[in-house]
Amino acid sequence: MANHKSSLKRIRQDKVKTLHNKYYAKTMRNAVRKLRSMTDKEEAVKLYPIVQKMLDKLAKTNVIHQNKAANLKSALCKHVAALG
């Protein structure tokens, strides 16, 4: 166990940040899953910008990697375009 005050504080901060990141990562995964399961093009077109914005924000704050966000956006864009 850590002995320094700063180490103990860092452990407390890491717990809070980890919980925060887990929440937003899970929310993002659910949004991606919801968009992938859609069959109506109009609804998917409405939801896509919201999911795209979410992915960009999470990549910017290093919750997910930038390349992962780009790959997800590309795949979702293909999915939305393929809907008929």
Side-chain angles (χ1 to χ4, degrees), residues 21-37:
N21 289 345
K22 277 185 181 177
Y23 170 78
Y24 282 102
K26 183 67 172 176
T27 305
M28 177 268 304
R29 283 196 303 272
N30 287 336
V32 169
R33 201 173 292 136
K34 182 178 178 183
L35 185 58
R36 280 193 180 134
S37 67

Side-chain angles (χ1 to χ4, degrees), residues 5-16:
K5 285 179 85 174
S6 60
S7 301
L8 295 170
K9 182 178 178 180
R10 177 61 59 198
I11 290 169
R12 287 195 310 270
Q13 288 176 335
D14 285 344
K15 283 183 185 175
V16 172

Side-chain angles (χ1 to χ4, degrees), residues 20-83:
H20 177 269
N21 289 345
K22 277 185 181 177
Y23 170 78
Y24 282 102
K26 183 67 172 176
T27 305
M28 177 268 304
R29 283 196 303 272
N30 287 336
V32 169
R33 201 173 292 136
K34 182 178 178 183
L35 185 58
R36 280 193 180 134
S37 67
M38 284 189 169
T39 54
D40 184 26
K41 186 165 185 154
E42 290 179 16
E43 288 182 33
V45 168
K46 286 181 187 175
L47 185 63
Y48 179 70
I50 297 166
V51 175
Q52 185 178 9
K53 186 176 179 182
M54 189 184 301
L55 289 167
D56 286 337
K57 279 186 177 180
L58 293 178
K60 184 178 177 185
T61 56
N62 290 322
V63 175
I64 61 172
H65 197 271
Q66 287 180 343
N67 291 352
K68 180 181 177 71
N71 290 337
L72 283 171
K73 288 193 300 185
S74 175
L76 291 173
C77 187
K78 276 179 151 179
H79 172 72
V80 171
L83 291 175

